[in-house]
Amino acid sequence: MVQWSTDDSFAITAIANFQLKVWNPRNGCLVATLKGHTSLVYTVEPHPLTENIFLSAGHDGYLKVWDIIT
C-alpha cells in the first residue's frame, strides 16, 4: 500500500514485515521507519489538514496515529 501526505511532501508505504516506511518523493530518500503493528497494515490515511499526521490500521486490530516529524 502507498499513500501520499496531503501536500505530497511524504509518501508512506506499508510493507509485508508490518512496518511503515516514510519516503521523501522528491529525492527518494527514506525519512523514517515506523514500527508498532504486529500484523499486516491494510490502510494508511493522511490527516486532511495536517500534512505530517496520518493513521494506519492493521489486521492486528490497532488503529495508530503517527506524526512523521516526531
Side-chain angles (χ1 to χ4, degrees):
M1 161 159 303
V2 177
Q3 184 60 264
W4 294 84
S5 61
T6 53
D7 66 350
D8 294 333
S9 62
F10 300 107
I12 301 100
T13 58
I15 57 176
N17 66 357
F18 319 142
Q19 296 178 355
L20 299 166
K21 302 262 184 184
V22 182
W23 303 90
N24 179 330
R26 291 176 184 87
N27 62 18
C29 290
L30 181 64
V31 175
T33 299
L34 306 173
K35 300 175 183 177
H37 284 287
T38 59
S39 189
L40 291 175
V41 174
Y42 62 85
T43 190
V44 177
E45 293 293 328
H47 188 279
L49 302 174
T50 308
E51 61 276 352
N52 59 299
I53 303 292
F54 70 97
L55 67 82
S56 62
H59 288 288
D60 55 7
Y62 289 100
L63 176 73
K64 296 188 178 282
V65 179
W66 305 90
D67 183 340
I68 297 171
I69 304 302
T70 60

